[in-house]
């Protein structure tokens, strides 16, 4: 689940399966997922579908075939698809994925939205851009690191990765599982992109409920290697993978 951590105290074709989707066992929603289902339903009712600042910062770097890993309500996926991207959008929230599928169908956007347990989801195929905003801190450390490495490995050379995490110094923990969450060390995210071209590396902090603090680091990194020419517009999904 994603797009959770900041919504400003406010930031804080629509088929569900694509050629690179992998079957996952039936999910048992965690406490965090159930809470975000409620939050997402409220946001839809209130029409609060704006890009948060992290999503707005990510959008210019997205092109070609995009993976939005932890898409939330899919506001970024919709914005990217409107700019000509083809998007695979994954989230643990049934509420969020259902909303995104409806929007994608109504607008005839090239978005494949799927509910998935992102702690164990196995990707196939490659992407020109990968995004994980406000997601990895909801996993235990080994899982967070493993899924970050998976995202890196499925990005094509020359493509951009956009990753945003909570870091040490964060005292807002109300949505995190006490026994299974991960606050990255300060500067750790950039170190995990050693050898990549760092396009953006930004730290930010915001007040949160209960007189707490959310401390973030956001990175945009370009993978080493030359980017291949994009496929012809009439290429099928298998040809693009």
């Amino acid at each position: 689940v994603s797009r959770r951590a900041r919504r400003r105290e406010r930031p804080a074709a629509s088929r569900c399966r694509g050629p690179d989707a992998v079957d996952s066992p039936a999910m048992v929603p965690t406490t965090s997922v159930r809470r975000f289902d409620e939050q997402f339903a409220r946001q839809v009712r209130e029409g609060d579908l704006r890009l948060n600042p992290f999503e707005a910062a990510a959008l210019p770097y997205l092109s070609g075939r995009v993976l939005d890993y932890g898409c939330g309500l899919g506001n970024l996926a919709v914005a990217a698809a409107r700019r000509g991207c083809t998007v695979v959008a994954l989230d643990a929230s049934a509420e969020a994925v259902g909303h995104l599928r409806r929007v994608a169908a109504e607008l005839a956007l090239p978005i494949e939205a799927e509910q998935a347990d992102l702690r164990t989801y196995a990707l196939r195929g490659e992407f020109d851009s990968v995004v994980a905003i406000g997601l990895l801190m909801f996993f235990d450390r080994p899982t967070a690191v493993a899924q970050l490495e998976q995202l890196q490995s499925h990005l094509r050379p020359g493509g951009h990765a956009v990753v945003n995490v909570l870091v040490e110094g964060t005292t807002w923990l109300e949505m995190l599982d006490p026994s299974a969450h991960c606050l990255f060390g300060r500067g750790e995210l950039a170190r995990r992109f050693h050898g990549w071209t760092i396009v953006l590396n930004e730290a930010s902090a915001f007040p949160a409920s209960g007189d707490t603090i959310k401390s973030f680091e956001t990175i945009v990194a370009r993978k080493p290697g030359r980017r291949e020419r994009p496929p012809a517009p009439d290429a099928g999904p298998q040809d693009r993978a």
Side-chain angles (χ1 to χ4, degrees):
V1 181
S2 178
R3 310 299 195 266
R4 346 291 212 205
R6 181 190 178 202
R7 294 204 60 84
R8 233 185 233 168
E9 272 342 300
R10 300 284 291 253
S14 60
R15 289 178 55 82
C16 112
R17 310 268 321 156
D20 296 327
V22 175
D23 291 326
S24 300
M27 278 189 54
V28 177
T30 64
T31 299
S32 293
V33 171
R34 288 192 293 269
R35 288 178 178 175
F36 285 120
D37 273 337
E38 296 171 0
Q39 174 182 308
F40 291 144
R42 182 174 64 253
Q43 289 174 225
V44 171
R45 288 195 304 271
E46 296 173 355
D48 183 6
L49 303 175
R50 299 164 297 169
L51 295 182
N52 68 39
F54 300 131
E55 293 168 330
L59 185 58
Y61 299 100
L62 306 186
S63 62
R65 190 162 188 264
V66 176
L67 172 66
D68 192 350
Y69 203 69
C71 62
L73 287 171
N75 303 328
L76 180 58
V78 169
R82 282 176 159 161
R83 289 164 58 102
C85 299
T86 299
V87 184
V88 176
L90 306 175
D91 202 274
S93 167
E95 183 72 32
V97 170
H99 166 78
L100 179 53
R101 288 177 184 166
R102 290 190 295 272
V103 172
E106 290 168 5
L107 300 178
L109 294 173
I111 297 172
E112 295 170 358
E114 180 180 354
Q115 184 186 12
D117 186 340
L118 302 183
R119 298 168 297 182
T120 58
Y121 195 86
L123 294 168
R124 295 187 307 182
E126 294 185 322
F127 300 87
D128 300 296
S129 313
V130 297
V131 182
I133 294 178
L135 172 70
L136 296 177
M137 56 272 209
F138 289 94
F139 305 156
D140 61 47
R141 172 165 288 277
T143 301
V145 170
Q147 293 304 85
L148 175 59
E149 291 175 349
Q150 177 180 219
L151 294 173
Q152 292 172 321
S153 70
H154 285 266
L155 180 64
R156 292 186 175 113
H160 286 96
V162 183
V163 182
N164 161 271
V165 297
L166 286 175
V167 298
E168 292 172 352
T170 293
T171 56
W172 177 87
L173 303 174
E174 63 185 48
M175 297 295 282
L176 303 178
D177 183 336
S179 64
H181 69 270
C182 174
L183 297 180
F184 279 65
R186 293 183 180 272
E188 178 184 354
L189 192 57
R191 292 191 295 274
R192 291 193 178 277
F193 283 89
H194 176 73
W196 296 46
T197 300
I198 305 300
V199 179
L200 173 72
N201 184 9
E202 184 173 84
S204 52
F206 308 94
S209 57
D211 199 26
T212 59
I213 296 291
K214 297 176 184 178
S215 294
F216 293 94
E217 287 187 3
T218 303
I219 197 164
V220 179
R222 187 167 62 250
K223 189 171 184 175
R226 196 166 85 178
R227 190 164 191 164
E228 294 182 5
R229 189 174 179 179
D234 59 349
Q238 294 285 5
D239 297 321
R240 289 195 294 268

